[in-house]
């Protein structure tokens, strides 16, 4: 319990995380050296105190998990590859010793041609194998050589993985930052916007209470999708190993394997839009070796890509920071400017845990500036008037979606307030980690009301809506969540996100049939389910009021009478058949 209380330290620290790096262009060797120093101290900057290091960067192998709940679960073995800084375990030495009978310790390529030939082929096709293959890369390589103080005829296995298997490591951004400090620093800049982002993928995965709860319930392997989707604190998620081609990272497919599906259907909405179809038809003929800053819209790309829009930092600069312009982000934080009738009016309910400790002000000075940046980006292919109207339409659309969500939240609020679920709250399973959350986090982080609710009920608290109400999509307890709660969660986290992304990326069919229309249908489904639940509770109350035994006796008598009638009918039918024959 003492360790769990340290959760407060994490969430408090997350409040003050801010790396204001932006898009940095090196002007001198001294500036590069300073950037390299930051990049190679990547984890020290992102996790600035001993507690955070203990939770996320100190290597513990597979002996325990990560984050404030690290002692509640042991990770599945694959996590050593998804989160290597925390969980990597070097392979058993026996196999390596056998290979040393045939190869020398520095015969990496020869050995891996036998063991993992695909790795070797990718590396042979990479710029790492030929760092001076053209004038552009030769100039970059010379700059790196000055930075690291040695000549680079090729970047070999040992440069990234260590000199041999005794010190074998899986490369992390901290390793990449020795040669690529500018790109690493830009990537670190995502922390400025807070979650969701790529660099805090591990934290976002293991901090929500439903993650360790499912381990407690015996479903660790079922978290595969969560683990792999959140394994984003790595450079190779965008330009895959061992080719590490920037040209690959500039193509939409580099984003699509993660940014797709139920809660962020970016691949579907962009890919099926007019922009996406132009890319599908013509993209093979575009020059993907050309840096984004040199791309001329209409000439080099006839339609935008994910990277061309999201990496744009303004003023003709591009950087490895696709979240910097985000306003609505994943669309999960209630905005100000709506006269909420439901409990959303009280959001975030006194909770002081990022990323759910604020309401979104779409028209704050900072977000107005970000919106203007989007208008500027869109104006590269459209007229500024069209771009601004489109952006305003997106905002109007999102406010309509949140107004509908307020209506839906009111329906479920009423069911929860009157405990009209199929199974009473006290008879359902707890909220994830509900038995320890109050003591682990305390009123300072949970807020007095939420803390008191968990403390007095032992965790049997109905939680619906943003953001903690997501638990229903990530865990299964006995009778928790119920059907009406699942209907609501699917509506606001799935259907509404299809609507949002469909509008944002210009895919009309997804915006309507897979988005807004499903939201409308979901609300009416909620209303019907609520009526049925209320009727059910009245029947239960009637049975209690009239005495369960009497009601049961009446029901039993009715069943008996029906049985006698059916038996008599069967005899009559048999006699009739006998007479006929």
């Amino acid at each position: 319990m003492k360790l769990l209380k340290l959760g407060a330290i994490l969430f408090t620290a997350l409040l003050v995380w801010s790396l204001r790096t932006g898009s940095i262009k090196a002007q001198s060797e001294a500036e590069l050296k300073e950037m390299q120093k930051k990049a190679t101290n990547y984890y020290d900057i992102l996790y600035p105190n001993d507690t955070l290091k203990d939770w996320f960067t100190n290597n513990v192998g597979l002996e325990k998990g990560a984050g404030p709940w690290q002692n509640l679960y042991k990770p599945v073995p694959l996590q050593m590859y998804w989160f290597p800084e925390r969980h990597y375990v070097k392979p058993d030495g026996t196999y390596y010793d056998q290979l040393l009978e045939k190869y020398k310790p520095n015969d990496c390529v020869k050995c891996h041609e036998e063991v993992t030939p695909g790795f070797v082929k990718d590396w042979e096709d990479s710029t790492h194998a030929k760092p001076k293959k053209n004038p552009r890369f030769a100039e970059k390589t010379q700059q790196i050589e000055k930075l690291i103080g040695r000549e680079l005829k090729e970047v070999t296995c040992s440069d990234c993985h260590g000199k041999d298997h005794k010190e074998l490591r899986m490369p992390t951004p901290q390793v990449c930052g020795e040669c690529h400090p500018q790109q690493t620093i830009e990537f670190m800049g995502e922390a400025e916007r807070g979650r969701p982002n790529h660099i805090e993928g591990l934290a976002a995965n293991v901090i929500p209470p439903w993650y360790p709860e499912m381990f407690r319930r015996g479903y660790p392997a079922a978290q595969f999708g969560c683990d792999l989707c959140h394994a984003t604190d790595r450079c190779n998620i965008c330009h895959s190993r061992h080719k590490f081609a920037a040209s690959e990272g500039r193509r939409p497919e580099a984003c699509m394997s993660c940014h797709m599906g139920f809660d962020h259907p970016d691949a579907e909405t962009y890919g099926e839009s007019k922009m996406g179809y132009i890319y599908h038809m013509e993209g093979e003929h575009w020059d993907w070796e050309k840096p984004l800053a040199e791309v001329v819209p209409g000439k080099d790309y006839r339609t935008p890509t994910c990277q061309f829009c999201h990496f744009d930092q303004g003023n003709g600069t591009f950087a490895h920071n696709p979240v910097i312009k985000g306003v609505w982000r994943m669309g999960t934080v209630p905005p100000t400017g709506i006269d909420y009738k439901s409990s959303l009016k009280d959001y975030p309910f006194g909770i002081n845990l990022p990323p759910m400790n604020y309401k979104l002000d779409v028209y704050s000075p900072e977000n107005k500036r970000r919106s203007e940046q989007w208008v500027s980006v869109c104006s590269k292919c459209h007229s500024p008037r069209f771009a601004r109207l489109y952006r305003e339409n997106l905002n109007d659309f999102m406010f309509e979606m949140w107004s509908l969500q307020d209506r839906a939240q009111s329906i479920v609020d009423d069911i929860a307030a009157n405990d009209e679920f199929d199974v009473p709250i006290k008879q359902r399973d707890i909220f994830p980690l509900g038995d320890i959350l109050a003591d682990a986090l305390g009123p300072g982080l949970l807020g007095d009301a939420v803390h008191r609710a968990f403390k007095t009920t032992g965790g049997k608290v109905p939680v619906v809506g943003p953001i903690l109400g997501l638990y229903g999509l990530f865990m299964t307890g006995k009778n928790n969540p119920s059907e009406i709660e699942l209907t609501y969660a699917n509506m606001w986290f799935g259907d509404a996100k299809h609507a949002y992304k469909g509008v944002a990326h210009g895919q009309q069919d997804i915006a309507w049939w897979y988005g807004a229309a499903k939201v409308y249908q979901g609300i009416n489904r909620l209303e019907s389910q609520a009526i049925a639940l209320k009727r059910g509770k009245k029947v239960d109350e009637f049975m209690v009021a009239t005495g369960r035994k009497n009601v049961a006796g009446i029901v039993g008598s009715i069943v008996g009478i029906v049985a006698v009638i059916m038996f008599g009918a069967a005899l009559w039918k048999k006699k009739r058949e006998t007479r006929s024959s």
Side-chain angles (χ1 to χ4, degrees):
M1 192 59 67
K2 181 179 179 181
L3 178 60
L4 292 176
K5 286 188 175 181
L6 291 174
I9 300 174
L10 169 64
F11 292 117
T12 303
L14 288 174
L15 290 172
V16 297
W17 277 9
S18 180
L19 301 176
R20 303 186 181 282
T21 53
S23 176
I24 300 173
K25 299 298 177 184
Q27 300 297 322
S28 68
E29 188 174 339
E31 287 179 338
L32 268 178
K33 280 287 187 183
E34 183 60 30
M35 292 166 63
Q36 184 191 48
K37 182 179 178 181
K38 289 182 180 179
T40 53
N41 284 284
Y42 180 90
Y43 291 107
D44 289 333
I45 294 174
L46 293 181
Y47 302 101
N49 63 57
D50 290 341
T51 299
L52 295 177
K53 289 180 175 65
D54 176 59
W55 288 348
F56 297 113
T57 65
N58 292 347
N59 187 279
V60 295
L62 301 173
E63 293 305 306
K64 59 182 179 180
W69 321 116
Q70 58 182 295
N71 288 328
L72 294 182
Y73 75 97
K74 287 188 177 183
V76 297
L78 273 174
Q79 286 202 22
M80 72 172 75
Y81 295 103
W82 304 159
F83 310 107
E85 186 73 11
R86 179 67 173 175
H87 294 302
Y88 185 66
V89 178
K90 288 184 287 188
D92 179 77
T94 305
Y95 181 51
Y96 178 60
D97 291 340
Q98 292 172 349
L99 291 171
L100 285 179
E101 296 175 2
K102 183 177 181 180
Y103 301 102
K104 296 178 181 178
N106 58 354
D107 286 340
C108 303
V109 173
K110 289 182 180 179
C111 179
H112 279 274
E113 282 178 331
E114 176 183 331
V115 179
T116 55
F119 287 2
V120 176
K121 185 63 173 68
D122 271 354
W123 174 79
E124 289 175 339
D125 291 341
S126 74
T127 305
H128 280 166
K130 305 177 187 68
K132 299 177 182 178
K133 63 183 182 181
N134 62 39
R136 181 192 295 275
F137 284 108
E139 182 181 356
K140 287 187 174 184
T141 300
Q142 289 171 4
Q143 191 177 45
I144 293 172
E145 288 173 335
K146 290 180 181 179
L147 190 62
I148 64 176
R150 59 186 175 90
E151 184 182 7
L152 281 175
K153 292 183 179 180
E154 59 184 15
V155 179
T156 65
C157 311
S158 60
D159 289 310
C160 301
H161 291 281
K163 66 180 181 180
D164 57 33
H165 276 229
K166 291 181 180 179
E167 59 177 51
L168 184 65
R169 67 190 180 193
M170 291 293 107
T172 63
Q174 185 163 288
V175 174
C176 303
E178 183 179 1
C179 295
H180 304 287
Q182 179 177 318
Q183 291 81 357
T184 304
I185 291 293
E186 291 171 352
F187 188 43
M188 292 167 71
E190 290 192 6
E192 179 183 354
R193 290 293 287 122
R195 297 207 306 266
N197 59 44
H198 297 93
I199 61 173
E200 295 179 75
L202 175 57
N205 192 39
V206 303
I207 289 174
W210 44 80
Y211 185 82
E213 180 65 48
M214 289 308 287
F215 276 83
R216 291 206 302 179
R217 292 174 182 267
Y219 301 104
Q223 311 281 18
F224 173 85
C226 303
D227 291 340
L228 185 53
C229 193
H230 281 270
T232 52
D233 182 22
R234 298 175 294 148
C235 302
N236 62 302
I237 59 169
C238 298
H239 19 67
S240 57
R241 61 185 183 276
H242 284 86
K243 197 169 184 178
F244 297 109
S247 56
E248 176 190 333
R250 294 184 185 114
R251 302 193 66 158
E253 288 86 352
C255 307
M256 287 179 170
S257 63
C258 291
H259 289 267
M260 51 81 66
F262 176 74
D263 55 339
H264 35 52
D266 303 296
E268 297 90 336
T269 51
Y270 168 81
E272 300 297 322
S273 71
K274 185 61 69 177
M275 297 178 292
Y277 271 100
I278 293 174
Y279 164 71
H280 293 320
M281 291 187 290
E282 302 180 13
E284 287 302 315
H285 305 293
W286 299 351
D287 182 5
W288 299 105
E289 296 290 342
K290 182 172 286 190
L292 291 174
E294 299 177 14
V295 169
V296 178
K299 178 183 177 183
D300 297 306
Y301 296 177
R302 199 166 76 83
T303 194
T305 62
C306 316
Q307 295 84 340
F308 188 74
C309 293
H310 289 274
F311 279 36
D312 190 308
Q313 310 291 297
N315 301 317
T317 62
F318 290 80
H320 291 66
N321 185 338
V323 306
I324 196 69
K325 297 191 302 294
V327 176
W328 287 100
R329 312 301 296 279
M330 282 190 68
T332 54
V333 176
T336 59
I338 293 177
D339 183 19
Y340 293 105
K341 302 294 190 278
S342 71
S343 60
L344 290 177
K345 67 180 181 298
D346 299 318
Y347 185 92
F349 316 112
I351 296 174
N352 194 26
L353 307 175
M356 56 170 297
N357 58 338
Y358 70 99
K359 267 185 179 170
L360 174 65
D361 183 358
V362 176
Y363 297 112
S364 70
E366 295 82 5
N367 282 330
K368 282 184 177 180
R369 176 180 55 78
R370 294 182 181 107
S371 291
E372 284 302 310
Q373 283 184 279
W374 275 114
V375 170
S376 177
V377 169
C378 297
S379 295
K380 292 179 180 181
C381 297
H382 303 281
S383 74
R385 185 175 72 159
F386 175 87
R388 181 164 282 103
L389 287 173
Y390 202 97
R391 181 71 198 184
E392 291 171 356
N393 183 78
L394 173 62
N395 288 343
D396 292 343
F397 181 86
M398 290 298 286
F399 280 113
E400 288 181 13
M401 288 294 105
W402 275 101
S403 294
L404 290 166
Q405 184 167 337
D406 181 46
R407 176 179 161 190
Q409 179 93 11
S410 292
I411 297 169
V412 187
D413 281 347
D414 182 52
I415 295 297
N418 295 296
D419 198 1
E420 293 171 326
F421 297 110
D422 284 319
V423 176
I425 295 168
K426 289 183 179 181
Q427 297 176 27
R428 310 194 318 171
D429 268 357
I430 61 171
F431 180 82
L433 301 190
D435 53 334
I436 61 176
L437 278 178
D439 290 330
L441 302 179
L445 291 171
L446 289 176
D448 289 333
V450 175
H451 176 265
R452 185 165 54 252
F454 277 103
K455 189 72 174 176
T456 57
T457 65
K460 294 195 172 184
V461 181
V463 180
V464 296
I467 291 179
L468 290 178
L470 278 180
Y471 82 94
L473 302 178
F474 291 91
M475 69 153 275
T476 173
K478 187 171 179 58
N479 298 312
N480 188 17
S482 65
E483 183 179 13
I484 193 170
E485 291 165 291
L486 286 172
T487 299
Y488 180 38
N490 279 296
M491 187 210 84
W492 78 264
F493 196 61
D495 301 335
K497 300 309 158 284
H498 276 71
Y500 162 35
K501 296 294 186 173
V503 173
H505 293 138
Q507 213 308 310
Q508 62 279 6
D509 206 59
I510 294 176
W512 175 251
W513 288 116
Y514 297 91
K518 283 184 171 287
V519 171
Y520 299 160
Q521 295 161 20
I523 290 176
N524 291 116
R525 193 172 292 115
L526 286 170
E527 289 175 334
S528 296
Q529 290 171 344
I531 290 171
L533 288 171
K534 288 179 177 294
R535 285 175 177 165
K537 186 172 184 181
K538 287 180 178 178
V539 170
D540 290 343
E541 290 172 345
F542 172 77
M543 291 177 68
V544 171
T546 57
R548 291 180 181 273
K549 291 183 179 179
N550 291 339
V551 173
I554 294 171
V555 172
S557 298
I558 294 173
V559 171
I561 293 170
V562 171
V564 170
I565 293 173
M566 293 178 66
F567 180 71
L571 286 176
W572 179 79
K573 183 179 180 182
K574 190 173 182 179
K575 287 182 179 181
R576 187 175 181 183
E577 290 173 349
T578 302
R579 290 173 182 172
S580 299
S581 62

